[in-house]
């Protein structure tokens, strides 16, 4: 289907982070956009304000009439949609062009200069830094993000359509639809084993992705990964390396050694070596794209982060409350490193909600080790997302594996009172489920307590 000639785009699962970025793109292109999702959220409300017609009940009679014409309607769906979905099956049975989100993204990027970021961790932050750098340096860019950027309060950045920046998602191998001019690989740790089965299959998929580069394309890889490319790393011998790192007023200040000399005086406000590494990849890709050093340094200093990626909710001398999306043991370790680097002498409470039964089962021992590093741990029940319960895989089972005397399994209804009872001056909420919905209530309760 020629995307230029269609009038209507209908999204089955419009509220997803990747789907909603595509919806914003088509709205910006002047298309009529509508869709279904299970529940209203801040994302669906923002899309409705832009003119999208959205409903929350699966029913063919709910689809606006204009979108029932198969000759000028494209239907985009997310793999998270259940098999028995009425609307999805109707569109398929009636011969509509029904495409997975990743295929549509691949079509959009095909005729642009595409920069794609892949990896088990770090891709959302890296993509948003890269999109911000190009935007601030006046590159005609469209960026599709897997999270909500604090700078733009959106998961979509638009300054033109010559260049696209995309998050290349390994979940269900959807990144194999892309054909980038530049690609980055942040990490290749095992994840999504419910899809891949074995870690080796995931690694194969990443290697296949690197072969999707256009002729003469450039591949950027974190130093130490078993793939050849332009390397980046921290205080090492990479092609692009962060050097002379200092922490000043909670920000990193550093220089970047490049193949053509050293670029000095960069400032970056996000805590954690993992975030510094993400910034370094974005800088390396931007330098290779051809953006001058001074412009890049200024743009990086104005970067504010991605919502739920080490996001400060409260930051006072007496109390710090941080929320993070970490849902893999490697990500929990990265959050721990960041919080210890910023608050080395303070007691830390981690509230963790495991995400998926299969991920909890596959990485239980690693999760136990990662969580045991915090001073106090509150564990919530497993967030099932797309899965049914698995016998014996519970938060209680995970809790027993954590070697720490200050640990507790807590019902969501008791969470706020348990957080308030803690004497830890640094509080973290961690997880990819609906724990994010609890953050505002925890924040309100902490602020109220602080005022009393």
């Amino acid at each position: 289907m020629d995307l230029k000639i269609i009038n209507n785009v209908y999204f089955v699962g419009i509220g997803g982070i990747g789907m909603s970025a595509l919806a914003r793109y088509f709205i910006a292109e002047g298309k009529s956009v509508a869709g279904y999702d299970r529940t209203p959220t801040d994302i669906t409300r923002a899309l409705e304000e832009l003119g999208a017609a959205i409903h929350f009940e699966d029913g063919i009679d709910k689809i606006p009439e204009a979108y029932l014409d198969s000759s000028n309607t494209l239907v985009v769906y997310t793999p998270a949609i259940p098999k028995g979905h009425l609307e999805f099956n109707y569109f398929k049975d009636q011969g509509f062009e029904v495409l997975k989100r990743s295929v549509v993204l691949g079509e959009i990027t095909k005729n642009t200069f595409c920069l794609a970021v892949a990896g088990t961790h770090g891709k959302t932050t890296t993509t948003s830094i890269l999109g911000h750098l190009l935007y601030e340096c006046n590159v005609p860019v469209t960026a599709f993000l897997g999270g909500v950027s604090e700078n733009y309060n959106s998961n979509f950045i638009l300054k033109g359509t010559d260049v696209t920046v995309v998050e290349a998602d390994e979940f269900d191998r959807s990144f194999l639809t892309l054909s980038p001019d530049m690609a980055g690989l942040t990490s290749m740790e095992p994840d999504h084993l419910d899809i891949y089965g074995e870690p080796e299959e995931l690694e194969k998929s990443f290697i296949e992705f690197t072969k999707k580069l256009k002729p003469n394309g450039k591949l950027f890889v974190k130093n130490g990964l078993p793939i050849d490319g332009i390397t980046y790393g921290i205080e090492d011998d990479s092609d692009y390396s962060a050097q002379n790192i200092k922490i000043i007023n909670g920000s990193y200040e550093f220089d970047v050694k490049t193949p053509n000399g050293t670029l000095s005086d960069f400032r970056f406000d996000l805590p954690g070596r993992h975030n510094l590494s993400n910034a370094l990849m974005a800088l390396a890709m931007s330098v290779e794209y051809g953006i001058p050093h001074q412009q890049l340094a200024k743009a990086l200093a104005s970067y504010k982060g991605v919502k739920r990626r080490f996001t400060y909710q409260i930051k006072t001398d007496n109390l710090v409350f941080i929320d993070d999306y970490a849902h893999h043991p490697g990500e929990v370790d990265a959050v721990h490193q960041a919080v210890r680097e910023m608050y080395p002498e303070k007691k830390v409470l981690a509230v963790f909600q495991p995400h998926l039964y299969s991920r909890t089962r596959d990485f239980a021992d690693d999760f136990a080790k990662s969580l045991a590093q915090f001073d106090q741990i509150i564990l919530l029940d497993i967030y099932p997302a797309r899965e049914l319960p698995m016998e014996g895989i519970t938060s209680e089972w995970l809790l027993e594996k954590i070697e720490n005397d200050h640990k507790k399994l807590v019902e969501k209804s008791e969470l706020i009172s348990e957080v308030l009872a803690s004497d830890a001056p640094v509080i973290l909420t961690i997880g990819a489920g609906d724990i994010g919905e609890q953050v505002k209530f925890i924040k309100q309760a902490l602020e109220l307590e602080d005022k009393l």
Side-chain angles (χ1 to χ4, degrees), residues 210-378:
T210 66
K211 292 175 180 166
K212 296 288 178 183
L213 273 172
K214 288 177 189 160
N216 304 317
K218 292 181 178 179
L219 177 65
F220 300 77
V221 294
K222 188 169 186 178
N223 199 6
L225 291 179
I227 293 180
D228 290 335
I230 298 166
T231 55
Y232 70 96
I234 293 176
E235 293 176 327
D236 61 11
D237 60 352
S238 302
D239 298 316
Y240 284 82
S241 174
Q243 302 284 349
N244 307 319
I245 301 165
K246 302 179 199 74
I247 296 176
I248 296 171
N249 298 327
S251 300
Y252 287 115
E253 295 194 4
F254 62 101
D255 302 329
V256 179
K257 177 182 77 67
T258 80
N260 299 312
T262 298
L263 309 176
S264 54
D265 299 328
F266 285 93
R267 195 190 92 225
F268 183 59
D269 288 342
L270 261 62
R273 292 277 169 134
H274 62 300
N275 281 322
L276 185 56
S277 177
N278 296 334
L280 200 58
M281 183 203 269
L283 285 170
M285 292 176 90
S286 302
V287 169
E288 294 283 336
Y289 180 79
I291 296 173
H293 163 212
Q294 296 303 335
Q295 274 185 281
L296 280 178
K298 188 179 173 194
L300 187 68
S302 67
Y303 176 76
K304 293 178 187 166
V306 178
K307 283 189 186 359
R308 299 218 64 227
R309 303 304 196 279
F310 213 89
T311 303
Y312 281 99
Q313 299 292 330
I314 297 173
K315 193 179 184 182
T316 67
D317 291 341
N318 306 325
L319 183 66
V320 174
F321 174 28
I322 296 160
D323 178 42
D324 195 276
Y325 185 74
H327 54 285
H328 183 282
E331 293 165 351
V332 176
D333 284 338
V335 170
H336 178 262
Q337 184 277 323
V339 82
R340 293 296 187 203
E341 189 173 51
M342 292 298 154
Y343 306 101
E345 305 300 323
K346 294 194 172 177
K347 191 182 284 187
V348 181
L349 163 67
V351 180
F352 180 61
Q353 181 189 46
H355 184 262
L356 296 177
Y357 295 102
S358 59
R359 187 182 280 125
T360 307
R361 176 199 63 203
D362 293 339
F363 302 110
D365 292 340
D366 295 330
F367 273 126
K369 277 189 202 129
S370 299
L371 292 166
Q373 299 173 100
F374 297 100
D375 301 296
Q376 300 172 0
I377 305 117
I378 289 177

Side-chain angles (χ1 to χ4, degrees), residues 88-286:
F88 174 68
N89 287 312
Y90 169 81
F91 285 122
K92 272 208 318 194
D93 295 344
Q94 296 300 314
F96 279 73
E97 186 87 47
V98 180
L99 298 177
K100 206 193 285 188
R101 179 189 72 89
S102 55
V103 174
V104 179
L105 196 55
E107 281 300 311
I108 291 168
T109 58
K110 212 174 267 178
N111 303 315
T112 67
F113 189 94
C114 175
L115 299 95
V117 178
T120 320
H121 327 297
K123 55 185 174 290
T124 298
T125 301
T126 307
T127 309
S128 74
I129 297 169
L130 185 56
H132 177 69
L133 294 178
L134 298 185
Y135 181 94
E136 286 293 306
C137 296
N138 293 314
V139 174
V141 65
T142 302
F144 297 90
L145 312 179
V148 177
S149 159
E150 297 278 9
N151 288 81
Y152 307 92
N153 197 29
S154 176
N155 51 348
F156 179 67
I157 302 172
L158 180 65
K159 197 166 206 153
T161 53
D162 297 353
V163 176
T164 46
V165 171
V166 297
E167 181 167 329
D169 191 1
E170 75 279 5
F171 173 71
D172 81 347
R173 299 177 173 83
S174 62
F175 60 177
L176 300 180
T177 61
L178 300 171
S179 41
D181 296 84
M182 288 186 178
L185 193 49
T186 62
S187 54
M188 283 172 29
E189 284 189 54
D191 196 7
H192 304 302
L193 298 185
D194 54 325
I195 302 288
Y196 285 95
E198 298 298 325
E200 293 76 24
E201 289 302 310
L202 177 64
E203 197 165 301
K204 271 189 214 164
S205 200
F206 278 122
I207 290 165
E208 209 178 319
F209 167 69
T210 66
K211 292 175 180 166
K212 296 288 178 183
L213 273 172
K214 288 177 189 160
N216 304 317
K218 292 181 178 179
L219 177 65
F220 300 77
V221 294
K222 188 169 186 178
N223 199 6
L225 291 179
I227 293 180
D228 290 335
I230 298 166
T231 55
Y232 70 96
I234 293 176
E235 293 176 327
D236 61 11
D237 60 352
S238 302
D239 298 316
Y240 284 82
S241 174
Q243 302 284 349
N244 307 319
I245 301 165
K246 302 179 199 74
I247 296 176
I248 296 171
N249 298 327
S251 300
Y252 287 115
E253 295 194 4
F254 62 101
D255 302 329
V256 179
K257 177 182 77 67
T258 80
N260 299 312
T262 298
L263 309 176
S264 54
D265 299 328
F266 285 93
R267 195 190 92 225
F268 183 59
D269 288 342
L270 261 62
R273 292 277 169 134
H274 62 300
N275 281 322
L276 185 56
S277 177
N278 296 334
L280 200 58
M281 183 203 269
L283 285 170
M285 292 176 90
S286 302

Side-chain angles (χ1 to χ4, degrees), residues 215 373 387 414:
Q373 299 173 100
E387 293 183 339
E414 303 294 316

